[in-house]
Amino acid sequence: VLLLACINFMNLSTARSEKRAREVGVRKAIGSSRGQLINQFFGESLLITVFAFGLAVIGVWLMLPFFNEVAGKEITLLWFNPLFWLSGIGFALFTGILAGSYPALYLSSFQAVKVLKGTFRVSRLAAIPRKALVVVQFTVSVSMMIGTIIVFQQIQFAKNRPVGYDYNNLVTVPIKNDEIHQHFEAFRNELMQTGAVAEVAKSESPIVNTWITNSGLDWKGKDPDMQDEFVTVRVSHEFGKTVGWEIKEGRDFSRGFATDSFGFVINEAAAAYMGLENPVGETMKWGNNGIYTIIGVVKNMITQSPYADIRQMIFFLDYKRSNFTTIKINPGVGTGEAMAKIETIFKKYDPVNPFEYQFMDHQYAQKFGEEERIGKLAGFFAILAILISCLGMFGMASFVAEQRTKEIGIRKVLGASVANLWRLLSKDFVILVLIACLIAIPIAWYFLHGWLQNYTYRTEISGWVFAAAGLGALLLTLLTVSFQAIKAAAANPVDSLRSE
């Protein structure tokens, strides 16, 4: 973004070269050396950047709370830190030198004799570096536009992925004492009797964030060389009913079957992982823990990253080591009222520890936090880059229109319409933006394709993204240039030609 601002300064400074040529000629004629002129132009550039640094500090101070919220940071301005001021001013000076280098070297090279005799004309080739810089500007801007769209597309793609359970109205509360473990049935019944709770269950980890894996399981047809690994979750009988999982084959855990204490409920990914076409009824030996029977298969559920493949999971009954309570709030009861009733029951069984809880929909939303921050920041800087590029384009269009005032007047006298003149003045800028799009698209595709490889579950990069970004850049260019173009085209030719 800073580079784009530097490009604007270079472009507008060199575009005014014909106007400053006479000044350079006079200064050289009265004894100024080229070194003195270079110092003058560098001084102008440095003065602007140092003044801009002061405004930037004020701008950052005002916008820092907003930026911290978007970026998820706690950044503060180090007002009394000498290193902060030294590095900030040093960076401003470096920017001034970078931005002023091309104009200083270019403007100071004019020959005084040619300028003062009136034979000096800026070569047509002098416009090539300016056009190249405009292309660089819009290449960056279009790339950032494409990047922003792809990031948000990836987030939306993952958000639309089927979760496999209902996290709405689900609350998880950690169990911090043995009283709840020892009297869990009574504790559950009291919660249900409040009328605010639809169902209660225990689990080893929250459904949206499972982290425990185990291995050493054996089943019929297993490859002897296979190193197995399963995500395992200890649960109580009503866990499936509480989270709303979907049974695809077999049945859920039931208090009517005493044998369920040695029963497994697996997900579809586990059935595929084990190569079992009809898994219900199959047995699995788990080291010294015994032999378990698969009683049901549930639909795959996102319990870890929404961008990764669903891992093979096993659920089994274990009331002793299930340290989280999962509560389904009755949809007909207000959240505040429900939580107050739930807290009362928790405090009865655990008066010592603070009542801490988390809503499952909030926990699930946090899985998108990093990508959403990337998307917001990319969008913010893309807008900034486009704004700076358009400001530069506006300045260039203004200068070109001013340069061609007499040409426009002659064309109008000869019958050219406003539309013809608008097309004439806009054409060059449109061509530059089209070139920038052709460069930006493969660059953006390369980097974004690489970024998407970090995710197993990812969106595809569609052609419409590039088309939309290119079309957006063209429309912004036309809007930016059109104001100056139409203004110049609509001017009275008498004003520009009466001195000829």
PDB file of all heavy atoms in Angstrom, residues 443-479:
ATOM      1  N   ILE A 443      -0.867 -14.136 -11.260  1.00  0.00           N
ATOM      2  CA  ILE A 443      -0.170 -13.958  -9.976  1.00  0.00           C
ATOM      3  C   ILE A 443      -1.107 -14.305  -8.825  1.00  0.00           C
ATOM      4  O   ILE A 443      -0.740 -15.051  -7.899  1.00  0.00           O
ATOM      5  CB  ILE A 443       0.356 -12.512  -9.842  1.00  0.00           C
ATOM      6  CG1 ILE A 443       1.471 -12.255 -10.855  1.00  0.00           C
ATOM      7  CG2 ILE A 443       0.858 -12.247  -8.423  1.00  0.00           C
ATOM      8  CD1 ILE A 443       1.924 -10.803 -10.913  1.00  0.00           C
ATOM      9  N   ALA A 444      -2.321 -13.755  -8.858  1.00  0.00           N
ATOM     10  CA  ALA A 444      -3.301 -14.014  -7.794  1.00  0.00           C
ATOM     11  C   ALA A 444      -3.651 -15.496  -7.739  1.00  0.00           C
ATOM     12  O   ALA A 444      -3.749 -16.085  -6.650  1.00  0.00           O
ATOM     13  CB  ALA A 444      -4.560 -13.175  -8.037  1.00  0.00           C
ATOM     14  N   TRP A 445      -3.843 -16.109  -8.904  1.00  0.00           N
ATOM     15  CA  TRP A 445      -4.183 -17.544  -8.926  1.00  0.00           C
ATOM     16  C   TRP A 445      -3.064 -18.363  -8.278  1.00  0.00           C
ATOM     17  O   TRP A 445      -3.336 -19.276  -7.493  1.00  0.00           O
ATOM     18  CB  TRP A 445      -4.401 -18.020 -10.358  1.00  0.00           C
ATOM     19  CG  TRP A 445      -4.798 -19.471 -10.417  1.00  0.00           C
ATOM     20  CD1 TRP A 445      -6.065 -19.974 -10.366  1.00  0.00           C
ATOM     21  CD2 TRP A 445      -3.921 -20.604 -10.479  1.00  0.00           C
ATOM     22  NE1 TRP A 445      -6.036 -21.348 -10.406  1.00  0.00           N
ATOM     23  CE2 TRP A 445      -4.729 -21.766 -10.468  1.00  0.00           C
ATOM     24  CE3 TRP A 445      -2.541 -20.748 -10.541  1.00  0.00           C
ATOM     25  CZ2 TRP A 445      -4.193 -23.047 -10.516  1.00  0.00           C
ATOM     26  CZ3 TRP A 445      -2.010 -22.036 -10.587  1.00  0.00           C
ATOM     27  CH2 TRP A 445      -2.820 -23.156 -10.577  1.00  0.00           C
ATOM     28  N   TYR A 446      -1.823 -18.054  -8.590  1.00  0.00           N
ATOM     29  CA  TYR A 446      -0.687 -18.820  -8.065  1.00  0.00           C
ATOM     30  C   TYR A 446      -0.650 -18.768  -6.531  1.00  0.00           C
ATOM     31  O   TYR A 446      -0.563 -19.805  -5.865  1.00  0.00           O
ATOM     32  CB  TYR A 446       0.618 -18.264  -8.642  1.00  0.00           C
ATOM     33  CG  TYR A 446       1.861 -18.921  -8.069  1.00  0.00           C
ATOM     34  CD1 TYR A 446       2.288 -20.169  -8.518  1.00  0.00           C
ATOM     35  CD2 TYR A 446       2.590 -18.288  -7.069  1.00  0.00           C
ATOM     36  CE1 TYR A 446       3.414 -20.769  -7.977  1.00  0.00           C
ATOM     37  CE2 TYR A 446       3.725 -18.880  -6.523  1.00  0.00           C
ATOM     38  CZ  TYR A 446       4.131 -20.126  -6.984  1.00  0.00           C
ATOM     39  OH  TYR A 446       5.239 -20.720  -6.442  1.00  0.00           O
ATOM     40  N   PHE A 447      -0.741 -17.571  -5.978  1.00  0.00           N
ATOM     41  CA  PHE A 447      -0.631 -17.433  -4.520  1.00  0.00           C
ATOM     42  C   PHE A 447      -1.869 -17.952  -3.801  1.00  0.00           C
ATOM     43  O   PHE A 447      -1.770 -18.592  -2.751  1.00  0.00           O
ATOM     44  CB  PHE A 447      -0.363 -15.972  -4.145  1.00  0.00           C
ATOM     45  CG  PHE A 447       1.059 -15.546  -4.399  1.00  0.00           C
ATOM     46  CD1 PHE A 447       1.367 -14.736  -5.472  1.00  0.00           C
ATOM     47  CD2 PHE A 447       2.091 -15.992  -3.580  1.00  0.00           C
ATOM     48  CE1 PHE A 447       2.685 -14.352  -5.720  1.00  0.00           C
ATOM     49  CE2 PHE A 447       3.396 -15.614  -3.829  1.00  0.00           C
ATOM     50  CZ  PHE A 447       3.705 -14.792  -4.893  1.00  0.00           C
ATOM     51  N   LEU A 448      -3.044 -17.708  -4.356  1.00  0.00           N
ATOM     52  CA  LEU A 448      -4.276 -18.158  -3.700  1.00  0.00           C
ATOM     53  C   LEU A 448      -4.454 -19.661  -3.812  1.00  0.00           C
ATOM     54  O   LEU A 448      -4.958 -20.309  -2.892  1.00  0.00           O
ATOM     55  CB  LEU A 448      -5.477 -17.421  -4.283  1.00  0.00           C
ATOM     56  CG  LEU A 448      -5.535 -15.949  -3.863  1.00  0.00           C
ATOM     57  CD1 LEU A 448      -6.462 -15.158  -4.768  1.00  0.00           C
ATOM     58  CD2 LEU A 448      -5.973 -15.822  -2.421  1.00  0.00           C
ATOM     59  N   HIS A 449      -4.039 -20.231  -4.924  1.00  0.00           N
ATOM     60  CA  HIS A 449      -4.075 -21.690  -5.061  1.00  0.00           C
ATOM     61  C   HIS A 449      -3.181 -22.327  -4.001  1.00  0.00           C
ATOM     62  O   HIS A 449      -3.556 -23.320  -3.364  1.00  0.00           O
ATOM     63  CB  HIS A 449      -3.616 -22.095  -6.463  1.00  0.00           C
ATOM     64  CG  HIS A 449      -3.583 -23.581  -6.682  1.00  0.00           C
ATOM     65  ND1 HIS A 449      -4.722 -24.344  -6.845  1.00  0.00           N
ATOM     66  CD2 HIS A 449      -2.532 -24.460  -6.737  1.00  0.00           C
ATOM     67  CE1 HIS A 449      -4.386 -25.604  -6.996  1.00  0.00           C
ATOM     68  NE2 HIS A 449      -3.065 -25.698  -6.937  1.00  0.00           N
ATOM     69  N   GLY A 450      -1.997 -21.734  -3.786  1.00  0.00           N
ATOM     70  CA  GLY A 450      -1.097 -22.236  -2.745  1.00  0.00           C
ATOM     71  C   GLY A 450      -1.689 -22.087  -1.357  1.00  0.00           C
ATOM     72  O   GLY A 450      -1.560 -22.986  -0.520  1.00  0.00           O
ATOM     73  N   TRP A 451      -2.378 -20.948  -1.104  1.00  0.00           N
ATOM     74  CA  TRP A 451      -3.005 -20.725   0.201  1.00  0.00           C
ATOM     75  C   TRP A 451      -4.116 -21.742   0.461  1.00  0.00           C
ATOM     76  O   TRP A 451      -4.237 -22.267   1.570  1.00  0.00           O
ATOM     77  CB  TRP A 451      -3.563 -19.299   0.252  1.00  0.00           C
ATOM     78  CG  TRP A 451      -4.273 -18.973   1.529  1.00  0.00           C
ATOM     79  CD1 TRP A 451      -3.717 -18.765   2.762  1.00  0.00           C
ATOM     80  CD2 TRP A 451      -5.681 -18.827   1.712  1.00  0.00           C
ATOM     81  NE1 TRP A 451      -4.688 -18.492   3.694  1.00  0.00           N
ATOM     82  CE2 TRP A 451      -5.910 -18.527   3.073  1.00  0.00           C
ATOM     83  CE3 TRP A 451      -6.777 -18.912   0.864  1.00  0.00           C
ATOM     84  CZ2 TRP A 451      -7.176 -18.307   3.599  1.00  0.00           C
ATOM     85  CZ3 TRP A 451      -8.043 -18.697   1.384  1.00  0.00           C
ATOM     86  CH2 TRP A 451      -8.238 -18.402   2.742  1.00  0.00           C
ATOM     87  N   LEU A 452      -4.899 -22.044  -0.546  1.00  0.00           N
ATOM     88  CA  LEU A 452      -6.009 -22.996  -0.381  1.00  0.00           C
ATOM     89  C   LEU A 452      -5.522 -24.416  -0.115  1.00  0.00           C
ATOM     90  O   LEU A 452      -6.260 -25.226   0.462  1.00  0.00           O
ATOM     91  CB  LEU A 452      -6.902 -22.976  -1.625  1.00  0.00           C
ATOM     92  CG  LEU A 452      -7.811 -21.762  -1.800  1.00  0.00           C
ATOM     93  CD1 LEU A 452      -8.509 -21.789  -3.150  1.00  0.00           C
ATOM     94  CD2 LEU A 452      -8.836 -21.684  -0.674  1.00  0.00           C
ATOM     95  N   GLN A 453      -4.279 -24.720  -0.507  1.00  0.00           N
ATOM     96  CA  GLN A 453      -3.752 -26.067  -0.259  1.00  0.00           C
ATOM     97  C   GLN A 453      -3.577 -26.343   1.233  1.00  0.00           C
ATOM     98  O   GLN A 453      -3.402 -27.487   1.651  1.00  0.00           O
ATOM     99  CB  GLN A 453      -2.410 -26.272  -0.987  1.00  0.00           C
ATOM    100  CG  GLN A 453      -2.480 -26.117  -2.498  1.00  0.00           C
ATOM    101  CD  GLN A 453      -3.626 -26.858  -3.139  1.00  0.00           C
ATOM    102  OE1 GLN A 453      -3.761 -28.073  -3.000  1.00  0.00           O
ATOM    103  NE2 GLN A 453      -4.484 -26.126  -3.855  1.00  0.00           N
ATOM    104  N   ASN A 454      -3.609 -25.284   2.055  1.00  0.00           N
ATOM    105  CA  ASN A 454      -3.519 -25.471   3.506  1.00  0.00           C
ATOM    106  C   ASN A 454      -4.779 -26.113   4.071  1.00  0.00           C
ATOM    107  O   ASN A 454      -4.788 -26.543   5.226  1.00  0.00           O
ATOM    108  CB  ASN A 454      -3.290 -24.124   4.210  1.00  0.00           C
ATOM    109  CG  ASN A 454      -1.962 -23.499   3.832  1.00  0.00           C
ATOM    110  OD1 ASN A 454      -0.968 -24.200   3.701  1.00  0.00           O
ATOM    111  ND2 ASN A 454      -1.938 -22.185   3.653  1.00  0.00           N
ATOM    112  N   TYR A 455      -5.845 -26.143   3.283  1.00  0.00           N
ATOM    113  CA  TYR A 455      -7.128 -26.670   3.751  1.00  0.00           C
ATOM    114  C   TYR A 455      -7.505 -27.916   2.955  1.00  0.00           C
ATOM    115  O   TYR A 455      -7.490 -27.902   1.732  1.00  0.00           O
ATOM    116  CB  TYR A 455      -8.223 -25.613   3.588  1.00  0.00           C
ATOM    117  CG  TYR A 455      -7.912 -24.307   4.276  1.00  0.00           C
ATOM    118  CD1 TYR A 455      -7.389 -23.235   3.564  1.00  0.00           C
ATOM    119  CD2 TYR A 455      -8.120 -24.154   5.638  1.00  0.00           C
ATOM    120  CE1 TYR A 455      -7.087 -22.042   4.193  1.00  0.00           C
ATOM    121  CE2 TYR A 455      -7.828 -22.968   6.277  1.00  0.00           C
ATOM    122  CZ  TYR A 455      -7.306 -21.907   5.553  1.00  0.00           C
ATOM    123  OH  TYR A 455      -7.003 -20.728   6.174  1.00  0.00           O
ATOM    124  N   THR A 456      -7.850 -28.972   3.677  1.00  0.00           N
ATOM    125  CA  THR A 456      -8.301 -30.199   3.019  1.00  0.00           C
ATOM    126  C   THR A 456      -9.661 -29.969   2.371  1.00  0.00           C
ATOM    127  O   THR A 456      -9.914 -30.393   1.253  1.00  0.00           O
ATOM    128  CB  THR A 456      -8.383 -31.350   4.038  1.00  0.00           C
ATOM    129  OG1 THR A 456      -7.128 -31.462   4.714  1.00  0.00           O
ATOM    130  CG2 THR A 456      -8.697 -32.659   3.350  1.00  0.00           C
ATOM    131  N   TYR A 457     -10.544 -29.308   3.107  1.00  0.00           N
ATOM    132  CA  TYR A 457     -11.882 -29.006   2.608  1.00  0.00           C
ATOM    133  C   TYR A 457     -11.855 -27.564   2.109  1.00  0.00           C
ATOM    134  O   TYR A 457     -11.826 -26.622   2.900  1.00  0.00           O
ATOM    135  CB  TYR A 457     -12.909 -29.179   3.731  1.00  0.00           C
ATOM    136  CG  TYR A 457     -14.341 -29.124   3.276  1.00  0.00           C
ATOM    137  CD1 TYR A 457     -14.945 -30.229   2.685  1.00  0.00           C
ATOM    138  CD2 TYR A 457     -15.099 -27.971   3.434  1.00  0.00           C
ATOM    139  CE1 TYR A 457     -16.265 -30.179   2.272  1.00  0.00           C
ATOM    140  CE2 TYR A 457     -16.417 -27.915   3.028  1.00  0.00           C
ATOM    141  CZ  TYR A 457     -16.991 -29.023   2.444  1.00  0.00           C
ATOM    142  OH  TYR A 457     -18.305 -28.973   2.030  1.00  0.00           O
ATOM    143  N   ARG A 458     -11.796 -27.388   0.807  1.00  0.00           N
ATOM    144  CA  ARG A 458     -11.570 -26.049   0.251  1.00  0.00           C
ATOM    145  C   ARG A 458     -12.433 -25.813  -0.981  1.00  0.00           C
ATOM    146  O   ARG A 458     -12.852 -26.741  -1.667  1.00  0.00           O
ATOM    147  CB  ARG A 458     -10.100 -25.859  -0.105  1.00  0.00           C
ATOM    148  CG  ARG A 458      -9.544 -26.906  -1.067  1.00  0.00           C
ATOM    149  CD  ARG A 458      -8.069 -26.697  -1.344  1.00  0.00           C
ATOM    150  NE  ARG A 458      -7.529 -27.734  -2.224  1.00  0.00           N
ATOM    151  CZ  ARG A 458      -6.939 -28.843  -1.805  1.00  0.00           C
ATOM    152  NH1 ARG A 458      -6.800 -29.051  -0.496  1.00  0.00           N
ATOM    153  NH2 ARG A 458      -6.479 -29.736  -2.658  1.00  0.00           N
ATOM    154  N   THR A 459     -12.654 -24.546  -1.246  1.00  0.00           N
ATOM    155  CA  THR A 459     -13.423 -24.138  -2.419  1.00  0.00           C
ATOM    156  C   THR A 459     -12.547 -24.216  -3.672  1.00  0.00           C
ATOM    157  O   THR A 459     -11.319 -24.310  -3.576  1.00  0.00           O
ATOM    158  CB  THR A 459     -13.963 -22.705  -2.233  1.00  0.00           C
ATOM    159  OG1 THR A 459     -14.840 -22.388  -3.313  1.00  0.00           O
ATOM    160  CG2 THR A 459     -12.820 -21.689  -2.196  1.00  0.00           C
ATOM    161  N   GLU A 460     -13.190 -24.157  -4.799  1.00  0.00           N
ATOM    162  CA  GLU A 460     -12.472 -24.098  -6.069  1.00  0.00           C
ATOM    163  C   GLU A 460     -12.389 -22.639  -6.524  1.00  0.00           C
ATOM    164  O   GLU A 460     -13.310 -21.854  -6.293  1.00  0.00           O
ATOM    165  CB  GLU A 460     -13.199 -24.931  -7.136  1.00  0.00           C
ATOM    166  CG  GLU A 460     -13.251 -26.421  -6.831  1.00  0.00           C
ATOM    167  CD  GLU A 460     -11.883 -27.080  -6.849  1.00  0.00           C
ATOM    168  OE1 GLU A 460     -11.018 -26.641  -7.636  1.00  0.00           O
ATOM    169  OE2 GLU A 460     -11.664 -28.021  -6.073  1.00  0.00           O
ATOM    170  N   ILE A 461     -11.303 -22.296  -7.176  1.00  0.00           N
ATOM    171  CA  ILE A 461     -11.161 -20.935  -7.707  1.00  0.00           C
ATOM    172  C   ILE A 461     -11.893 -20.868  -9.043  1.00  0.00           C
ATOM    173  O   ILE A 461     -11.493 -21.508 -10.010  1.00  0.00           O
ATOM    174  CB  ILE A 461      -9.679 -20.550  -7.878  1.00  0.00           C
ATOM    175  CG1 ILE A 461      -8.946 -20.634  -6.534  1.00  0.00           C
ATOM    176  CG2 ILE A 461      -9.559 -19.147  -8.454  1.00  0.00           C
ATOM    177  CD1 ILE A 461      -7.465 -20.310  -6.614  1.00  0.00           C
ATOM    178  N   SER A 462     -12.969 -20.111  -9.069  1.00  0.00           N
ATOM    179  CA  SER A 462     -13.808 -20.019 -10.268  1.00  0.00           C
ATOM    180  C   SER A 462     -13.390 -18.838 -11.142  1.00  0.00           C
ATOM    181  O   SER A 462     -12.873 -17.829 -10.642  1.00  0.00           O
ATOM    182  CB  SER A 462     -15.279 -19.854  -9.867  1.00  0.00           C
ATOM    183  OG  SER A 462     -15.674 -20.888  -8.988  1.00  0.00           O
ATOM    184  N   GLY A 463     -13.658 -18.978 -12.423  1.00  0.00           N
ATOM    185  CA  GLY A 463     -13.315 -17.919 -13.377  1.00  0.00           C
ATOM    186  C   GLY A 463     -14.067 -16.630 -13.129  1.00  0.00           C
ATOM    187  O   GLY A 463     -13.559 -15.537 -13.410  1.00  0.00           O
ATOM    188  N   TRP A 464     -15.286 -16.730 -12.538  1.00  0.00           N
ATOM    189  CA  TRP A 464     -16.086 -15.517 -12.326  1.00  0.00           C
ATOM    190  C   TRP A 464     -15.412 -14.565 -11.341  1.00  0.00           C
ATOM    191  O   TRP A 464     -15.637 -13.342 -11.394  1.00  0.00           O
ATOM    192  CB  TRP A 464     -17.491 -15.878 -11.852  1.00  0.00           C
ATOM    193  CG  TRP A 464     -17.573 -16.397 -10.437  1.00  0.00           C
ATOM    194  CD1 TRP A 464     -17.620 -17.701 -10.047  1.00  0.00           C
ATOM    195  CD2 TRP A 464     -17.627 -15.620  -9.237  1.00  0.00           C
ATOM    196  NE1 TRP A 464     -17.679 -17.793  -8.679  1.00  0.00           N
ATOM    197  CE2 TRP A 464     -17.697 -16.532  -8.153  1.00  0.00           C
ATOM    198  CE3 TRP A 464     -17.604 -14.260  -8.953  1.00  0.00           C
ATOM    199  CZ2 TRP A 464     -17.752 -16.124  -6.828  1.00  0.00           C
ATOM    200  CZ3 TRP A 464     -17.663 -13.845  -7.621  1.00  0.00           C
ATOM    201  CH2 TRP A 464     -17.743 -14.764  -6.581  1.00  0.00           C
ATOM    202  N   VAL A 465     -14.567 -15.108 -10.456  1.00  0.00           N
ATOM    203  CA  VAL A 465     -13.867 -14.259  -9.479  1.00  0.00           C
ATOM    204  C   VAL A 465     -12.937 -13.291 -10.209  1.00  0.00           C
ATOM    205  O   VAL A 465     -12.915 -12.082  -9.932  1.00  0.00           O
ATOM    206  CB  VAL A 465     -13.070 -15.121  -8.479  1.00  0.00           C
ATOM    207  CG1 VAL A 465     -12.230 -14.248  -7.557  1.00  0.00           C
ATOM    208  CG2 VAL A 465     -14.008 -16.006  -7.672  1.00  0.00           C
ATOM    209  N   PHE A 466     -12.167 -13.830 -11.165  1.00  0.00           N
ATOM    210  CA  PHE A 466     -11.253 -12.992 -11.935  1.00  0.00           C
ATOM    211  C   PHE A 466     -12.023 -11.999 -12.805  1.00  0.00           C
ATOM    212  O   PHE A 466     -11.629 -10.831 -12.927  1.00  0.00           O
ATOM    213  CB  PHE A 466     -10.347 -13.862 -12.799  1.00  0.00           C
ATOM    214  CG  PHE A 466      -9.565 -14.889 -12.020  1.00  0.00           C
ATOM    215  CD1 PHE A 466      -9.783 -16.244 -12.209  1.00  0.00           C
ATOM    216  CD2 PHE A 466      -8.624 -14.491 -11.086  1.00  0.00           C
ATOM    217  CE1 PHE A 466      -9.074 -17.186 -11.487  1.00  0.00           C
ATOM    218  CE2 PHE A 466      -7.902 -15.426 -10.361  1.00  0.00           C
ATOM    219  CZ  PHE A 466      -8.129 -16.776 -10.559  1.00  0.00           C
ATOM    220  N   ALA A 467     -13.114 -12.486 -13.401  1.00  0.00           N
ATOM    221  CA  ALA A 467     -13.926 -11.609 -14.250  1.00  0.00           C
ATOM    222  C   ALA A 467     -14.526 -10.466 -13.427  1.00  0.00           C
ATOM    223  O   ALA A 467     -14.532  -9.307 -13.862  1.00  0.00           O
ATOM    224  CB  ALA A 467     -15.039 -12.416 -14.923  1.00  0.00           C
ATOM    225  N   ALA A 468     -15.016 -10.790 -12.219  1.00  0.00           N
ATOM    226  CA  ALA A 468     -15.627  -9.773 -11.361  1.00  0.00           C
ATOM    227  C   ALA A 468     -14.605  -8.733 -10.920  1.00  0.00           C
ATOM    228  O   ALA A 468     -14.888  -7.529 -10.921  1.00  0.00           O
ATOM    229  CB  ALA A 468     -16.260 -10.439 -10.138  1.00  0.00           C
ATOM    230  N   ALA A 469     -13.399  -9.206 -10.538  1.00  0.00           N
ATOM    231  CA  ALA A 469     -12.353  -8.272 -10.105  1.00  0.00           C
ATOM    232  C   ALA A 469     -11.914  -7.374 -11.262  1.00  0.00           C
ATOM    233  O   ALA A 469     -11.751  -6.155 -11.093  1.00  0.00           O
ATOM    234  CB  ALA A 469     -11.163  -9.039  -9.547  1.00  0.00           C
ATOM    235  N   GLY A 470     -11.734  -7.971 -12.448  1.00  0.00           N
ATOM    236  CA  GLY A 470     -11.334  -7.184 -13.621  1.00  0.00           C
ATOM    237  C   GLY A 470     -12.389  -6.173 -14.013  1.00  0.00           C
ATOM    238  O   GLY A 470     -12.080  -5.007 -14.309  1.00  0.00           O
ATOM    239  N   LEU A 471     -13.658  -6.624 -14.018  1.00  0.00           N
ATOM    240  CA  LEU A 471     -14.755  -5.719 -14.368  1.00  0.00           C
ATOM    241  C   LEU A 471     -14.877  -4.589 -13.348  1.00  0.00           C
ATOM    242  O   LEU A 471     -15.101  -3.421 -13.716  1.00  0.00           O
ATOM    243  CB  LEU A 471     -16.071  -6.505 -14.435  1.00  0.00           C
ATOM    244  CG  LEU A 471     -17.302  -5.748 -14.917  1.00  0.00           C
ATOM    245  CD1 LEU A 471     -17.095  -5.237 -16.337  1.00  0.00           C
ATOM    246  CD2 LEU A 471     -18.543  -6.629 -14.838  1.00  0.00           C
ATOM    247  N   GLY A 472     -14.695  -4.936 -12.065  1.00  0.00           N
ATOM    248  CA  GLY A 472     -14.741  -3.924 -11.010  1.00  0.00           C
ATOM    249  C   GLY A 472     -13.657  -2.879 -11.198  1.00  0.00           C
ATOM    250  O   GLY A 472     -13.901  -1.669 -11.045  1.00  0.00           O
ATOM    251  N   ALA A 473     -12.439  -3.333 -11.521  1.00  0.00           N
ATOM    252  CA  ALA A 473     -11.319  -2.396 -11.748  1.00  0.00           C
ATOM    253  C   ALA A 473     -11.604  -1.488 -12.941  1.00  0.00           C
ATOM    254  O   ALA A 473     -11.333  -0.282 -12.897  1.00  0.00           O
ATOM    255  CB  ALA A 473     -10.031  -3.178 -11.965  1.00  0.00           C
ATOM    256  N   LEU A 474     -12.170  -2.058 -14.007  1.00  0.00           N
ATOM    257  CA  LEU A 474     -12.495  -1.259 -15.196  1.00  0.00           C
ATOM    258  C   LEU A 474     -13.564  -0.212 -14.901  1.00  0.00           C
ATOM    259  O   LEU A 474     -13.460   0.947 -15.322  1.00  0.00           O
ATOM    260  CB  LEU A 474     -12.974  -2.171 -16.327  1.00  0.00           C
ATOM    261  CG  LEU A 474     -11.895  -2.891 -17.130  1.00  0.00           C
ATOM    262  CD1 LEU A 474     -12.531  -3.880 -18.100  1.00  0.00           C
ATOM    263  CD2 LEU A 474     -11.022  -1.890 -17.894  1.00  0.00           C
ATOM    264  N   LEU A 475     -14.599  -0.605 -14.168  1.00  0.00           N
ATOM    265  CA  LEU A 475     -15.675   0.335 -13.826  1.00  0.00           C
ATOM    266  C   LEU A 475     -15.146   1.471 -12.955  1.00  0.00           C
ATOM    267  O   LEU A 475     -15.493   2.638 -13.158  1.00  0.00           O
ATOM    268  CB  LEU A 475     -16.815  -0.404 -13.114  1.00  0.00           C
ATOM    269  CG  LEU A 475     -17.656  -1.337 -13.986  1.00  0.00           C
ATOM    270  CD1 LEU A 475     -18.648  -2.113 -13.144  1.00  0.00           C
ATOM    271  CD2 LEU A 475     -18.395  -0.536 -15.064  1.00  0.00           C
ATOM    272  N   LEU A 476     -14.297   1.105 -11.959  1.00  0.00           N
ATOM    273  CA  LEU A 476     -13.708   2.139 -11.096  1.00  0.00           C
ATOM    274  C   LEU A 476     -12.835   3.095 -11.899  1.00  0.00           C
ATOM    275  O   LEU A 476     -12.835   4.302 -11.670  1.00  0.00           O
ATOM    276  CB  LEU A 476     -12.887   1.479  -9.983  1.00  0.00           C
ATOM    277  CG  LEU A 476     -13.684   0.827  -8.853  1.00  0.00           C
ATOM    278  CD1 LEU A 476     -12.775   0.012  -7.951  1.00  0.00           C
ATOM    279  CD2 LEU A 476     -14.411   1.890  -8.035  1.00  0.00           C
ATOM    280  N   THR A 477     -12.095   2.532 -12.852  1.00  0.00           N
ATOM    281  CA  THR A 477     -11.241   3.368 -13.709  1.00  0.00           C
ATOM    282  C   THR A 477     -12.081   4.330 -14.533  1.00  0.00           C
ATOM    283  O   THR A 477     -11.776   5.532 -14.619  1.00  0.00           O
ATOM    284  CB  THR A 477     -10.399   2.473 -14.643  1.00  0.00           C
ATOM    285  OG1 THR A 477      -9.607   1.595 -13.845  1.00  0.00           O
ATOM    286  CG2 THR A 477      -9.498   3.303 -15.534  1.00  0.00           C
ATOM    287  N   LEU A 478     -13.134   3.817 -15.146  1.00  0.00           N
ATOM    288  CA  LEU A 478     -13.997   4.663 -15.980  1.00  0.00           C
ATOM    289  C   LEU A 478     -14.674   5.752 -15.144  1.00  0.00           C
ATOM    290  O   LEU A 478     -14.778   6.901 -15.578  1.00  0.00           O
ATOM    291  CB  LEU A 478     -15.044   3.804 -16.690  1.00  0.00           C
ATOM    292  CG  LEU A 478     -14.512   2.926 -17.828  1.00  0.00           C
ATOM    293  CD1 LEU A 478     -15.591   1.987 -18.340  1.00  0.00           C
ATOM    294  CD2 LEU A 478     -13.961   3.791 -18.968  1.00  0.00           C
ATOM    295  N   LEU A 479     -15.111   5.383 -13.929  1.00  0.00           N
ATOM    296  CA  LEU A 479     -15.730   6.381 -13.059  1.00  0.00           C
ATOM    297  C   LEU A 479     -14.731   7.467 -12.669  1.00  0.00           C
ATOM    298  O   LEU A 479     -15.058   8.652 -12.617  1.00  0.00           O
ATOM    299  CB  LEU A 479     -16.287   5.704 -11.795  1.00  0.00           C
ATOM    300  CG  LEU A 479     -17.574   4.911 -11.953  1.00  0.00           C
ATOM    301  CD1 LEU A 479     -17.886   4.132 -10.682  1.00  0.00           C
ATOM    302  CD2 LEU A 479     -18.734   5.839 -12.286  1.00  0.00           C
TER     303      LEU A 479
END
